[in-house]
Structure formats: structure tokens, C-alpha cells
Amino acid sequence: MKSPKNVTPPPPTLEARPGPLRGNTRLPLQTHPAQLLFKGRSGGEHRPPIVGLLVFGKLVHDIEVNALKDDPYADWWLVKIEEGLSEAREVLTGTQKQLQAQVAASPFRVAPVTSVEPLEVALTFSSRLAFRAAALLAEFDQTVVMILTAGHLGLMTREEEKRLINRAGTVVRRAFGRCLRYKALGVTRADLQQNTGTARAAVEQMGALPEAVL
């Protein structure tokens, strides 16, 4: 039996949905200090741990998940994290303006130094705050480039270079570190209203919540 011609396939059912979206976002890094802040490091006997972008992305995603479950502490931490990222960016922007003025006042006309082979890292975050943190890391990378440019031109000593890079790195590390100290205790606003044991434990471990967050 011959199959009928020009048969129109049935339309998709209402239950059918498009597959998940996939992207390919990459972040180029030109400096070694920025690479270190991307990876982070575990703590040792004589050195504290550093929360890098990768760990930050995972922790902030977990906090966002708990915020969707009506955990007010998760909401509070997201506010503090967002404020920390904004404050850090302002500091880096101010540092860059100072360096630009320093280079502009010199007798040189030179483009910033660049890496002959930047390291490209893949970003697979599902959190918007993680991407904001990645943008902050890019600002830090650019700040280090400008510091090295000024040092290359002899506008500062090596000690001044190290001090400025360390200060800029401290700003970023402090912002990334804001995701710490949050504890997923399963507390909700209802717990706090009823003063349950979970609520009391949350207050003891993470402090009293601002009324605006409640």
C-alpha cells in the first residue's frame, strides 16, 4: 500500500516545550592576579582561603535558591552581596581614573600593555549576581593592566605596583567573601513570626534581621 502524499504532520501538543537554552560565554583574563581570583584557593596552615569566582558562583546560586523558599536571611545576604559588588566596582573605577590621570600627565603616549595570549575562561553560571561578579573580575583585570602599564613607564616603583594590586585584589576578595557566613538552616518568615527553634538558631548564628527584609 502506497503512503499518501502531501500529508501534513500533526501540530505539536500543548505539552511540548522548547529544550533548555545553552550559551557559550567566555571571559578573557590578561593578568595572573585575575586568574588567581577566578580560581580562588583553599586555606592552608599559614594562609587563609580565597573565595574565587567559581566558588562565589556556586554559593550565590544556593543562596538564590533558598531565597525562593522564603528564607529572609537569603534575601538579606543577596542584598549585602549586591551592595558589596557595587562598592567594589566603584573603588576599582576610582583607581582606574587615578591611573589614567597619572599616565596622561606623563610625557608618554602609549596604549596599555596587553597579554600576547589572554586566558579565556568559560562562564556557566545560572545566577545574574555571578555574572556581575565576573564583570567585577574583568574590572580588576583591567585595573591590574593599568597598574602594570604605569609601572612599565616608570611612573611608580615595584613596591607601589604590588601595593596597588594587592589593595585592588583585597576589594574584590572582600566582595566575593560576602557570600560566606550565610547558613542554610531552612528558616522562613513564618518561623520568625512564630519564633520557632529554627528561627532562634538563625538569629543566633546570623544575627537579627533588619525589619525591611522581614
Side-chain angles (χ1 to χ4, degrees):
M1 181 177 179
K2 295 182 178 180
S3 59
K5 297 181 178 180
N6 302 322
V7 176
T8 303
T13 63
L14 293 178
E15 290 76 16
R17 300 182 62 182
L21 297 175
R22 292 288 182 265
N24 183 18
T25 306
R26 306 183 72 81
L27 175 67
L29 298 175
Q30 298 195 77
T31 66
H32 185 58
Q35 180 186 1
L36 290 176
L37 278 181
F38 174 77
K39 293 181 177 179
R41 77 179 183 198
S42 56
E45 184 178 353
H46 300 292
R47 63 179 188 179
I50 292 177
V51 177
L53 180 62
L54 291 176
V55 171
F56 174 90
K58 179 184 182 306
L59 293 178
V60 78
H61 169 72
D62 293 342
I63 296 173
E64 288 177 340
V65 169
N66 288 318
L68 293 175
K69 298 177 182 178
D70 200 32
D71 179 346
Y73 279 92
D75 286 329
W76 189 23
W77 248 254
L78 291 176
V79 170
K80 294 196 289 186
I81 290 169
E82 191 156 8
E83 289 175 347
L85 294 175
S86 297
E87 291 167 4
R89 185 157 193 165
E90 287 180 8
V91 173
L92 294 183
T93 300
T95 301
Q96 290 182 20
K97 288 180 179 178
Q98 292 175 3
L99 291 166
Q100 287 170 348
Q102 191 174 3
V103 173
S106 74
F108 310 112
R109 294 295 175 264
V110 59
V113 297
T114 57
S115 172
V116 296
E117 191 175 353
L119 173 69
E120 285 202 354
V121 295
L123 302 179
T124 57
F125 303 126
S126 58
S127 162
R128 67 177 185 87
L129 282 178
F131 278 102
R132 282 195 59 184
L136 177 65
L137 181 60
E139 286 285 345
F140 170 69
D141 191 39
Q142 182 60 29
T143 302
V144 175
V145 166
M146 295 178 69
I147 294 171
L148 295 176
T149 299
H152 178 71
L153 297 175
L155 301 178
M156 65 177 66
T157 65
R158 290 190 181 275
E159 289 72 22
E160 289 173 319
E161 271 186 35
K162 292 178 181 178
R163 179 176 56 81
L164 283 177
I165 291 173
N166 184 62
R167 187 171 69 182
T170 299
V171 168
V172 178
R173 289 194 296 271
R174 187 180 299 124
F176 286 1
R178 288 207 177 192
C179 61
L180 301 174
R181 288 198 67 243
Y182 168 78
K183 297 182 184 299
L185 300 178
V187 65
T188 64
R189 283 174 172 80
D191 288 316
L192 289 162
Q193 291 168 357
Q194 299 167 18
N195 194 29
T196 64
T198 301
R200 291 192 295 272
V203 172
E204 181 180 348
Q205 296 185 46
M206 292 182 284
L209 276 167
E211 189 64 29
V213 175
L214 286 172

